[in-house]
Amino acid sequence: MAPTQLRPVSDAPDLSALSAARLGRTARLVDEPDSADRGPFRRDRDRIVHAQAFRRLAHKTQVFSDVQGDHYRTRLTHTIEVAQIARSLARNMGLDSDLTEALALAHDLGHTPFGHTGEDALAACMEPFGGFEHNAQTVRVISKLEQRYAAFDGLNLTAETLDGIIKHNGPLAEEGAGAPAHPFALREFLRTHQPLLATITMADHAGLEAQIAALSDDIAYTTHDIDDGVRAGLFSLDDLSHIGLVAEVIAEVDGAYPGLPTGRRMGEFTRRLITRLIVALEGEIRTCVDRNSIATAHDVITLGAPLGVFPDAVAQDVWMAKAFLFKAMYRHDDIVVLRIEAERVLRELFEHFNAAPDQLPDGWAAPPDASADQVARQVCDFIAGMTDRYALDLHAQLFDDTPDLRYGAG
């Protein structure tokens, strides 16, 4: 595969007419005066950055536990990398970088301690009580659980930002007619925010900024999980040389800088692979715009398919990289042992507080007349918001067999 080439940014057509900002969906559930010095999406971005849930991402697992080392990615550093990639793409195409960055910064606010392992544990615990899913929990965090403002719960974000967050994984199907039910947190949000969302069709695709933020998530975690996996000694970079794009970038680095130490080689590889993926994604978006005669933001959301896609050959290589990481990293025998123990920690915390909700800390107590579902949801919200270290510390206060979740600690 030949390296993808794009014209210099200054020479590429401006796609600002396709920006979701042109849809005018800047209303908030609770009316507020406009900011004197910030547009609505910059204000959304700032509120996300100042949220307590955002700060807690610093001590939540990406793949390796927060306590394992200073150089592995956490949810916060992952989120910052996603935002940087998304912002670069938005600026290259003349889109709204504030909206794009807000969506990128918010996308993991609902993640549990211990990453997807924690999500699986809480999903199992909450199965009788309406379910749990981290994207739906993100919506719950930004619309209800953040309580920093006197006039409203949540962050009172604009309709466009909310739409992009809700549709991080694509349009929402109608419940019923064989479609699975939405997670409780999403159903509750759609009910309480119905007046604000009246101008938004859930079956439409999200705007282009939201599509870019979602693909930037793919670019970030695929590239940096390779970096972290090599750092942890789970595999070598050359183990991925069966993947065309990866092999090309390896050859490019080794040709330009033969004999580099592993750390520098990985740094060169990672930055060059990110650039290749950004260039390929931007090029394919522009091709899709031309092929489908997309002229307005409304055309983007009603196309019936996403504009934010990789070229077929690149998409295949990204899929192959993810498949490799799933087997060699996420399901590595040593990581699976840690996953099992992390699931146990959260399951035992849930069972303890669900049986004794009076032991929940101040601010988390359920009402005296709360139903079993309401108590379970309160316990779930409490645990989902924990950092890795807080979950382990609290478990150690309640139980005598708290595991050491550092990779290689055993």
Side-chain angles (χ1 to χ4, degrees), residues 276-324:
R276 288 284 199 98
L277 292 173
I278 287 175
V279 169
L281 177 57
E282 181 180 344
E284 187 65 11
I285 289 172
R286 292 182 180 279
T287 298
C288 289
V289 166
D290 293 341
R291 182 191 305 130
N292 294 283
S293 301
I294 302 296
T296 68
H298 188 261
D299 292 342
V300 172
I301 66 174
T302 58
L303 178 62
L307 277 177
V309 294
F310 292 112
D312 288 345
V314 174
Q316 176 66 17
D317 284 347
V318 170
W319 180 89
M320 290 178 67
K322 291 179 180 179
F324 174 88

Side-chain angles (χ1 to χ4, degrees), residues 201-221:
T201 303
M202 291 300 148
D204 284 345
H205 281 266
L208 192 48
E209 284 88 348
Q211 294 183 37
I212 286 171
L215 267 295
S216 297
D217 186 18
D218 277 2
I219 292 173
Y221 82 72

Side-chain angles (χ1 to χ4, degrees), residues 27-103:
R28 304 176 188 273
L29 184 65
V30 178
D31 287 338
E32 298 182 66
D34 291 339
S35 171
D37 62 339
R38 294 171 295 168
F41 302 130
R42 184 173 299 182
R43 200 176 189 186
D44 285 353
R45 182 203 61 189
D46 294 349
R47 288 184 175 184
I48 291 162
V49 168
H50 288 279
Q52 288 183 332
F54 185 79
R55 294 197 295 277
R56 288 197 297 269
L57 295 178
H59 302 294
K60 291 195 177 191
T61 288
Q62 179 64 23
V63 175
F64 298 99
S65 175
D66 166 61
V67 298
Q68 288 169 204
D70 293 337
H71 295 143
Y72 294 115
R73 270 73 171 188
T74 65
R75 282 287 158 191
L76 181 60
T77 56
H78 161 71
T79 295
I80 292 170
E81 291 182 28
V82 174
Q84 180 271 319
I85 293 167
R87 185 173 58 246
S88 294
L89 279 159
R91 288 178 176 173
N92 287 355
M93 291 184 277
L95 302 174
D96 192 299
S97 59
D98 290 331
L99 174 58
T100 308
E101 192 171 12
L103 294 166

Side-chain angles (χ1 to χ4, degrees), residues 9 56 91 109 118 125 144 172 202 211:
V9 172
R56 288 197 297 269
R91 288 178 176 173
L109 291 180
C125 291
K144 182 179 178 69
L172 293 185
M202 291 300 148
Q211 294 183 37

Side-chain angles (χ1 to χ4, degrees), residues 13-22 93-96 209 297:
D14 187 308
L15 300 184
S16 59
L18 309 187
S19 170
R22 298 291 185 96
M93 291 184 277
L95 302 174
D96 192 299
E209 284 88 348

Side-chain angles (χ1 to χ4, degrees), residues 354-385:
N354 199 42
D358 58 306
Q359 295 185 27
L360 286 166
D362 291 345
W364 287 102
D369 59 347
S371 67
D373 283 13
Q374 290 171 322
V375 170
R377 185 62 54 182
Q378 194 80 350
V379 173
C380 177
D381 287 340
F382 174 53
I383 294 174

Side-chain angles (χ1 to χ4, degrees), residues 37 66 88 116 145 171 179 213 242 276 326 328 349 368 387:
D37 62 339
D66 166 61
S88 294
H116 289 287
L145 297 182
H242 62 287
R276 288 284 199 98
F326 185 86
L349 287 174
T387 62

